[in-house]
Amino acid sequence: MPVSFRILSKPVVRFLLVFVVCYGLLIFPWPGWEPVYGAGFRAAAQTLLGGRSGDRFLRFQASERPTRPALTTTILLGNIRQAGPDGRGPMLPIQIDTRSLGWMPTAVFTALVLAAPTGWRRRLLSLGAGMILVHGYILGCLLALIWHRSGEVGLVRFNSFTAAWAAGLEATLVTHIWSSFAIPALIWLLVTFRADDLAVPNAQGE
């Protein structure tokens, strides 16, 4: 067998090749996929977080004039106490990259599951359980972002320590793209593999 085919037959290389292909196929349609995924993302976020909660008001909508093409979703954050007699008040616009925040971790996790060297039954179970955790992570990213920016409209009062902590949390979960790869990978490991998958067979192959 030629060396190249012998190398490609190795499980780790095969896993990496399948992952790259699956991830590429999931990411490639963007931005054409944004009108569908972005609309679903905003509708789900509006249902879970939008509207009035205490003094906070939130609305998720498509960005009308994004400062960068990738910032396709705008979160409008307001403080009800700042509203005037007509019920209107200043709203803080927060533009976010729906692709990086939502679709990318979803695509990474899906590609990892499809590439995993496991049976299809376990892949489907992993996909179902993991998607719940991945979207919990995405929701956590949104909450971290909203919590940090709430200080700008008087909804939260930060001291120097909590302000730095909130800013760091937003930077880690929202600004820096590495978490969109690292967290889905950790979730994939958690829901896909079992302890006996890591067992090393003895010399007799038992």
Side-chain angles (χ1 to χ4, degrees), residues 78-80 82-84 86-92:
N79 186 341
I80 301 299
Q82 296 177 351
D86 60 354
R88 299 189 179 189
M91 301 287 284
L92 175 67

Side-chain angles (χ1 to χ4, degrees), residues 15 18-19 110-119 123 188 192-193:
F15 163 77
V18 175
F19 168 76
T110 302
L112 286 170
V113 170
L114 294 177
T118 59
R123 291 183 197 181
W188 169 69
T192 301
F193 297 102

Side-chain angles (χ1 to χ4, degrees), residues 13-75:
V13 177
R14 186 166 57 245
F15 163 77
L16 291 175
L17 287 174
V18 175
F19 168 76
V20 169
V21 170
C22 291
Y23 179 71
L25 290 174
L26 290 168
I27 289 295
F28 178 75
W30 208 273
W33 184 232
E34 200 284 329
V36 176
Y37 179 80
F41 181 97
R42 289 184 286 271
Q46 183 66 30
T47 299
L48 293 172
L49 302 175
R52 180 172 179 174
S53 177
D55 291 327
R56 187 189 72 188
F57 179 81
L58 276 177
R59 184 165 72 241
F60 293 80
Q61 63 184 39
S63 297
E64 296 179 357
R65 291 182 294 276
T67 55
R68 297 201 312 271
L71 302 178
T72 55
T73 293
T74 296
I75 305 171

Side-chain angles (χ1 to χ4, degrees), residues 92-202:
L92 175 67
I94 309 168
Q95 294 185 344
I96 61 173
D97 181 353
T98 309
R99 173 180 176 270
S100 296
L101 188 63
W103 182 243
M104 190 171 290
T106 304
V108 169
F109 174 75
T110 302
L112 286 170
V113 170
L114 294 177
T118 59
W120 279 105
R121 182 176 181 275
R122 196 194 294 193
R123 291 183 197 181
L124 292 175
L125 291 174
S126 300
L127 196 62
M131 278 298 177
I132 296 173
L133 296 177
V134 168
H135 284 86
Y137 153 72
I138 296 170
L139 180 62
C141 292
L142 285 174
L143 289 173
L145 172 66
I146 292 165
W147 177 55
H148 178 219
R149 301 300 181 89
S150 292
E152 299 180 37
V153 293
L155 289 167
V156 177
R157 293 185 180 275
F158 293 116
N159 57 36
S160 57
F161 173 78
T162 55
W165 197 84
L169 190 62
E170 178 186 333
T172 300
L173 295 178
V174 180
T175 305
H176 300 309
I177 199 172
W178 70 268
S179 64
S180 294
F181 290 89
I183 302 301
L186 290 175
I187 293 172
W188 169 69
L189 290 172
L190 177 66
V191 301
T192 301
F193 297 102
R194 305 166 184 163
D196 55 0
D197 292 328
L198 303 177
V200 178
N202 59 27

